[in-house]
């Protein structure tokens, strides 16, 4: 009995933790979506708020099934939770295998997606903040280089572009000086007109795709550890759900056997044994 309680409440605690996290993600996504202006980017791949809502809602549904199923000993909910989690695990493994076998295709698709984000940089405040964060964090600019920002209508380097930021790059591409106390948001103006040897003194010229790949290779143990930990956690939750379902079924079978045994004993009590001796008075 103690082992069953350990399985039950361990599964419940895991599911409850991710249930709360998913609720927070969904709430943040909804708040960001409501706070946005109208007529902004509304695609899943380029809208961080919409992505948070979708991921948070899916996590909320899955973990709710696990929480309620574990707490109420509901085999139907636990089976649904186990099936969905097993499917997600298989999809993750399949995505990893496909990404490894078709690295060039994955890199090409990733490059296209990042280029679309650059094109729509000023159209969505959340997308703009995400790109600025990545460029500051990885000290990079653009996808393949700083001149990729010419793909954006505001930074397009052409004589017909009336924007003040024409031929420039966002301030997140600028190299932060040690003695700089005030952020200069105009530091990237006109940088696309300079050659890389001259521009590298003021802005990052290496593309973010190359920097992210380089970071992943240099932190391979960290990436592998986080990925392996996530997969191991999912496997543990699958095993706990399967163990609880097995224990519940075992108890149900025992109750059914006891009930059948009790019914048979009651039926036998209605019949006298063969050749019984009766005292007829």
């Amino acid at each position: 009995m103690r082992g069953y309680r350990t399985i039950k409440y361990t599964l419940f605690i895991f599911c409850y933790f991710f249930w709360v996290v998913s609720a927070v993600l969904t709430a943040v996504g909804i708040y960001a979506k409501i706070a946005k202006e109208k007529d902004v980017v509304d695609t899943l791949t380029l809208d961080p708020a919409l992505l948070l809502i979708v991921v948070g809602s899916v996590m909320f549904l899955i973990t709710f099934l696990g929480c309620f199923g574990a707490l109420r000993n509901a085999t139907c909910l636990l089976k649904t939770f186990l099936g969905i989690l097993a499917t997600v695990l298989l999809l993750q493994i399949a995505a990893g295998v496909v990404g490894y076998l078709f690295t060039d295709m994955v890199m090409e698709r990733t490059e296209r997606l990042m280029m679309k984000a650059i094109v729509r940089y000023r159209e969505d405040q959340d997308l703009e903040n995400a790109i600025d964060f990545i460029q500051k964090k990885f000290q990079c600019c653009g996808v393949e280089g700083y001149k990729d920002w010419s793909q954006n209508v505001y930074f397009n380097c052409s004589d017909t572009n009336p924007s003040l930021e024409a031929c420039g790059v966002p301030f997140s591409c600028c190299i932060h000086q040690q003695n700089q106390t005030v952020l200069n948001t105009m530091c990237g103006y006109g940088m696309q007109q300079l050659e890389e040897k001259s521009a590298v003194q003021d802005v990052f010229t290496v593309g973010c795709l190359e920097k992210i790949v380089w970071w992943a290779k240099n932190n391979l143990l960290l990436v592998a550890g986080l990925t392996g930990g996530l997969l191991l956690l999912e496997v543990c939750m699958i095993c706990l759900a399967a163990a609880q379902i097995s224990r519940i079924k075992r108890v149900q079978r025992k109750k059914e056997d006891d009930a059948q045994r009790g019914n048979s004993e009651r039926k036998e009590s209605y019949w006298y044994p063969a050749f019984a001796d009766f005292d007829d008075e």
Side-chain angles (χ1 to χ4, degrees):
M1 189 65 179
R2 185 177 299 175
Y4 172 74
R5 288 181 178 176
T6 302
I7 293 172
K8 174 180 178 177
Y9 289 111
T10 302
L11 178 60
F12 173 76
I13 291 171
F14 281 160
C15 292
Y16 182 76
F17 172 76
F18 286 105
W19 186 54
V20 173
V21 171
S22 64
V24 172
L25 290 177
T26 305
V28 170
I30 293 173
Y31 173 78
K33 195 68 177 174
I34 294 174
K36 282 183 181 182
E37 299 177 359
K38 295 182 179 179
D39 300 327
V40 296
V41 180
D42 199 20
T43 57
L44 181 61
T45 54
L46 296 178
D47 188 355
L50 186 59
L51 187 62
L52 282 177
I53 294 173
V54 173
V55 173
S57 299
V58 173
M59 282 181 59
F60 186 87
L61 176 61
I62 296 174
T63 51
F64 174 77
L65 294 174
C67 280
F68 196 76
L71 195 61
R72 301 297 299 174
N73 300 323
T75 55
C76 181
L77 296 180
L78 286 173
K79 287 180 180 178
T80 305
F81 170 75
L82 190 151
I84 295 175
L85 202 60
T87 303
V88 171
L89 179 63
L90 292 176
L91 289 175
Q92 289 174 338
I93 295 174
V97 172
V98 171
Y100 178 78
L101 295 177
F102 302 97
T103 306
D104 295 336
M105 184 181 70
V106 172
M107 293 295 292
E108 183 180 353
R109 293 288 181 88
T110 305
E111 183 179 345
R112 289 181 187 175
L113 181 63
M114 293 176 69
M115 194 62 72
K116 287 182 180 179
I118 284 180
V119 171
R120 300 181 179 182
Y121 175 73
R122 292 294 190 196
E123 298 178 19
D124 189 339
Q125 188 66 40
D126 291 334
L127 182 62
E128 182 178 336
N129 292 334
I131 293 174
D132 287 337
F133 173 78
I134 292 173
Q135 292 190 145
K136 290 178 182 179
K137 178 68 176 178
F138 293 98
Q139 297 183 349
C140 57
C141 189
V143 180
E144 294 183 346
Y146 67 106
K147 291 190 177 182
D148 289 338
W149 281 102
S150 191
Q151 300 295 323
N152 185 279
V153 65
Y154 296 95
F155 300 99
N156 181 258
C157 195
S158 63
D159 297 333
T160 58
N161 189 2
S163 174
L164 294 175
E165 297 176 305
C167 295
V169 295
F171 72 93
S172 56
C173 290
C174 297
I175 299 175
H176 183 73
Q177 305 298 331
Q178 293 182 352
N179 58 351
Q180 185 178 5
T181 57
V182 179
L183 180 63
N184 180 15
T185 57
M186 301 173 62
C187 58
Y189 282 28
M191 286 297 163
Q192 292 187 52
Q193 294 176 328
L194 302 178
E195 295 296 328
E196 186 174 353
K197 293 181 180 179
S198 302
V200 73
Q201 299 177 1
D202 298 312
V203 298
F204 305 115
T205 57
V206 181
C208 290
L209 183 60
E210 180 181 345
K211 276 296 187 75
I212 292 173
V213 172
W214 178 84
W215 180 88
K217 289 181 178 179
N218 287 342
N219 296 272
L220 192 60
L221 291 177
L222 176 62
V223 175
L226 292 175
T227 305
L230 177 61
L231 295 178
L232 182 61
L233 181 60
E234 292 176 1
V235 171
C236 289
M237 294 173 70
I238 290 173
C239 293
L240 289 171
Q244 186 172 357
I245 292 171
S246 177
R247 291 291 185 94
I248 293 172
K249 286 185 175 181
R250 189 183 305 172
V251 172
Q252 289 176 347
R253 284 196 299 266
K254 185 177 180 181
K255 288 183 178 180
E256 290 175 358
D257 292 341
D258 292 342
Q260 291 178 359
R261 190 178 300 111
N263 291 334
S264 63
E265 289 176 355
R266 284 195 297 270
K267 287 180 180 180
E268 288 178 358
S269 65
Y270 296 143
W271 300 90
Y272 293 105
F275 307 106
D277 294 330
F278 294 97
D279 293 331
D280 190 8
E281 297 181 355

